[in-house]
Amino acid sequence: SQDDGIFTLGDALRDMGRLDDAARVYAQVPTNQLPDFYNRLGMIEAQRANFAVSIQYFEQALTVVPDDEPLL
C-alpha cells in the first residue's frame, strides 16, 4: 500500500541519517497511521539524542492506541 511505501522511504532516510527528510516523509501518513507516525518521530528524536522529545512522541503513540502491543 502507499502507506507502507511512505514508511519504507522514511525508514530508509532515517537509516541514512537524513532525519529531517524522514520526518517530512512520515508527515504524509494518513491519520489512521498516527501511532506508527508518532513512534517513528520518537525514533528520529532518539537518534538526535533529544530523549525528552522522543519520549513525548512515544507517549503520543500510546495515547492514540493505548493497548497496542507492538508499541509497548
Side-chain angles (χ1 to χ4, degrees):
S1 78
Q2 182 179 4
D3 301 346
D4 292 337
I6 290 170
F7 287 126
T8 300
L9 176 58
D11 291 347
L13 290 167
R14 184 172 42 90
D15 290 344
M16 293 185 321
R18 295 176 53 188
L19 304 179
D20 291 335
D21 292 333
R24 278 192 288 277
V25 169
Y26 291 145
Q28 299 175 35
V29 300
T31 56
N32 68 335
Q33 296 291 324
L34 282 179
D36 289 326
F37 167 70
Y38 288 130
N39 190 46
R40 283 173 165 88
L41 287 181
M43 289 187 280
I44 286 173
E45 292 305 324
Q47 278 184 260
R48 291 180 174 155
N50 292 331
F51 300 114
V53 175
S54 176
I55 289 169
Q56 289 174 352
Y57 279 125
F58 293 139
E59 288 174 344
Q60 278 186 283
L62 290 172
T63 11
V64 176
V65 282
D67 297 325
D68 191 353
E69 287 295 323
L71 295 175
L72 296 176

